Amino acid sequence: MWSTITIVTIFVVAVDSGSVGLCRTECIEQNARKIVRVHLKDDLVMAGLCNNKTDTTEGSIVTPYVCHKNVGLWTLDELDEEGVVSFDKLCPTPEQYPYELRSTCPRINENRDETPMALDVDEYPASSGDTPLLLA
């Protein structure tokens, strides 16, 4: 019986990974969030990304994202019918993918200068040790 379950599980994983094209899980989760729902439609992968609320006793928020299977770039899904949805439960623990794998994810305007808002958590520059300016 266990061998049958194992074979079915392996088959499902192989079919699932092929059906999402270039839309990689690690590119949207970034070791900080977790996909909790996925819908496939034509060449699109639509996913709900879970974030815990600031006060973790209050639950979580699921935000819709979309990715074209042939492009692999995740963007906020502004056309999603449900939109952002609150839940009473906390998010599942996110997978931890190595930086080398996440660094290969497609990005919008890859040739532009990086700003602190566009940097990955692992890439954020360390303090230079300079004294901050005082505001008068």
Side-chain angles (χ1 to χ4, degrees), residues 63-93:
T63 307
Y65 284 83
V66 65
C67 177
H68 192 283
K69 292 179 186 180
N70 297 327
V71 178
L73 182 66
W74 289 96
T75 57
L76 186 63
D77 188 355
E78 297 177 9
L79 302 177
D80 182 78
E81 293 177 9
E82 292 181 76
V84 177
V85 180
S86 290
F87 289 93
D88 293 334
K89 295 186 178 188
L90 296 177
C91 300
T93 303

Side-chain angles (χ1 to χ4, degrees), residues 2-15:
W2 285 106
S3 62
T4 304
I5 293 172
T6 304
I7 292 170
V8 171
T9 303
I10 292 170
F11 178 72
V12 171
V13 170
V15 171

Side-chain angles (χ1 to χ4, degrees), residues 18-125:
S19 62
V20 296
L22 299 175
C23 301
R24 297 170 26 210
T25 303
E26 66 273 11
C27 295
I28 188 171
E29 291 184 346
Q30 292 291 318
N31 293 356
R33 300 166 294 202
K34 184 73 177 164
I35 293 175
V36 292
R37 69 168 188 257
V38 176
H39 302 285
L40 306 175
K41 182 178 179 183
D42 301 323
D43 287 335
L44 299 176
V45 177
M46 294 162 280
L49 195 64
C50 191
N51 289 300
N52 286 328
K53 293 181 180 177
T54 304
D55 181 357
T56 56
T57 61
E58 303 233 353
S60 60
I61 297 172
V62 175
T63 307
Y65 284 83
V66 65
C67 177
H68 192 283
K69 292 179 186 180
N70 297 327
V71 178
L73 182 66
W74 289 96
T75 57
L76 186 63
D77 188 355
E78 297 177 9
L79 302 177
D80 182 78
E81 293 177 9
E82 292 181 76
V84 177
V85 180
S86 290
F87 289 93
D88 293 334
K89 295 186 178 188
L90 296 177
C91 300
T93 303
E95 298 289 328
Q96 297 300 301
Y97 301 99
Y99 173 74
E100 294 77 22
L101 183 61
R102 291 181 292 123
S103 68
T104 62
C105 293
R107 299 188 190 277
I108 297 174
N109 301 325
E110 287 185 302
N111 296 328
R112 77 177 196 285
D113 290 336
E114 293 291 346
T115 64
M117 295 305 291
L119 292 175
D120 189 5
V121 173
D122 294 336
E123 298 174 313
Y124 199 81

